[in-house]
Amino acid sequence: MTQEQLTFKFDQFNHTSEFISYKELASGHINDTYLIITKEEPYYILQRINHTVFKDVPGLISNKVSVSKHLQKKLSHLPEHELKRRVLMFVDTKNGDYYYKDEDGNYWNVMVYINDSVTHDIVTNEEVAYEGGKLSGNFLNLTSDFDASLLTEVIPKFHDMSFRFWQFDEALKTATTERKEQAKTCLEKVSALKEEMHIIQNLKDSGKIKLRVTHNDTKISNALFDKNNKGLCVIDTDTVMPGIAHYDFGDAIRTICNTAAEDETNLDLVNFNLNYYKAYVKGFLEATGSNLTDIELKYLPLGAKSIIFIMALRFLTDFLNGSVYYKIDYPEHNLDRAKNQLKLIESMAAQIDM
């Protein structure tokens, strides 16, 4: 993408800034994201939403703009400069939409860049885990009065355990004997956990767990901090949609508390960091306050276990299918990822009472 092309896209939006230069941000794996440096601050983020992954981009953008406006109202007591650091702000186009669709069918949106901020790819201390918990909990708290049914389900059945098991069962039917033999230990562990892993899904389906506005991608790199490691806001809100608190909680725990990379093959290095877990939980519960019900609180640890399991199941399913979804570096890569996540479950279960 040339600067001239990016300037044209950027100038479809309502701003009075002069495009000076740009920097491509490569932290995401799905969208194309650019920092637009203008003559005067604020700078902006210009993003192309991947419409092959997200089938309803207008719905996706409507979700995150609606939630942003809601958060702005809830935090309207803050000074303007502080508010702009606590909420992602979206810029509309000259025709009033919040996205521009180009001649190639690509969708673009623009956000105000939050200056003097940092992200963390991994957690290296309890303070960052604690602040990450506060940010995730605060997002749930501030959106607790937003009607989740008004949001588009941008990735249908994303955290649906029954659907993931259906995919797994279909993969088993067509998997080669060799692959099933290679995965034998994992298959046994999945079978042993199947009933427990449906507990939260069943509670959700029965209405005993409240449907909320959830982020659905709460890895620590989607939390924004100031230079003193104090939390500012959650970012990358493309997956905001109706969901339950347990999976936002669990996805954060999965990525924060693994002592190794998710494809580490030496399983002795894969353990659950209990100190980071306790720090995250402390921040999360402080921020959610009294907004979570007793039943939600009871099943938070199982929510973390369930999300780790879903990832293990998805990796295993892809391995059985011949690795057609996740990128791999070698034939057994997805199997090793599945083993890694199952080991993380074992380490977590040994330290936390479910």
Side-chain angles (χ1 to χ4, degrees), residues 63-75 86-87 135-151 210-216 234 237 240-245 248 284 287-288 291-292:
N63 282 359
K64 58 184 185 178
V65 170
S66 297
V67 170
S68 170
K69 289 180 176 179
H70 179 83
L71 293 173
Q72 290 174 52
K73 288 180 182 178
K74 296 299 288 283
L75 297 175
R86 298 288 180 174
V87 184
L135 284 177
S136 186
N138 200 40
F139 180 83
L140 287 170
N141 185 31
L142 292 173
T143 58
S144 62
D145 57 346
F146 188 107
D147 184 355
S149 68
L150 299 176
L151 298 178
K210 179 181 177 180
L211 204 63
R212 297 177 176 271
V213 176
T214 48
H215 185 283
N216 295 293
V234 296
T237 52
V240 164
M241 57 183 166
I244 59 176
D248 269 10
F284 183 82
T288 52
N291 253 310
L292 296 181

Side-chain angles (χ1 to χ4, degrees), residues 172 175-189 316 318-323 330-336 338-339 342:
L172 266 180
T176 65
T177 302
E178 180 185 6
R179 284 184 181 270
K180 285 190 282 190
E181 185 60 32
Q182 287 177 287
K184 183 178 179 181
T185 301
C186 288
L187 295 176
E188 290 171 353
K189 291 179 179 179
L316 184 57
D318 199 30
F319 173 74
L320 294 171
N321 280 330
S323 294
Y330 56 93
E332 295 80 27
H333 201 167
N334 277 320
L335 180 60
D336 286 336
K339 290 177 179 178
L342 290 169

Side-chain angles (χ1 to χ4, degrees), residues 5 18 46 56-57 60 75 78 89 100 102 121 130 138 148 167 173 211 230 238 300 321 341:
Q5 290 172 315
E18 182 182 345
L46 174 66
D56 182 2
V57 178
L60 178 156
L75 297 175
L78 295 175
M89 304 281 189
Y100 166 67
D102 67 21
D121 289 329
Y130 168 74
N138 200 40
Q167 291 180 313
K173 292 176 184 176
L211 204 63
K230 299 301 180 184
D238 291 346
L300 282 177
N321 280 330
Q341 296 296 288

Side-chain angles (χ1 to χ4, degrees), residues 153 155-161 163-164:
E153 192 176 7
I155 308 178
K157 300 184 183 297
F158 188 46
H159 290 321
D160 188 296
M161 190 67 73
F163 174 65
R164 295 302 181 187

Side-chain angles (χ1 to χ4, degrees), residues 1 31 38 43 69 77 106 113 155 176 181 213 221-223 239 243-244 274 311 322 337:
M1 188 68 65
N31 301 323
T38 52
Y43 299 156
K69 289 180 176 179
H77 59 282
N106 295 308
Y113 176 66
I155 308 178
T176 65
E181 185 60 32
V213 176
S221 59
N222 283 335
T239 52
I244 59 176
L274 187 61
M311 285 311 304
R337 288 165 169 156

Side-chain angles (χ1 to χ4, degrees), residues 254-255 257-264 266 269-271 340-341:
R254 185 185 80 83
T255 53
C257 296
N258 194 341
T259 58
E262 71 178 13
D263 57 358
E264 174 59 60
N266 182 353
L269 301 178
V270 178
N271 291 293
N340 180 298
Q341 296 296 288

Side-chain angles (χ1 to χ4, degrees), residues 278-300:
K278 289 179 177 178
Y280 184 90
V281 169
K282 184 174 186 290
F284 183 82
L285 294 181
E286 284 179 9
T288 52
S290 60
N291 253 310
L292 296 181
T293 65
D294 289 344
I295 196 167
E296 285 177 313
L297 290 168
K298 176 182 177 181
Y299 287 104
L300 282 177

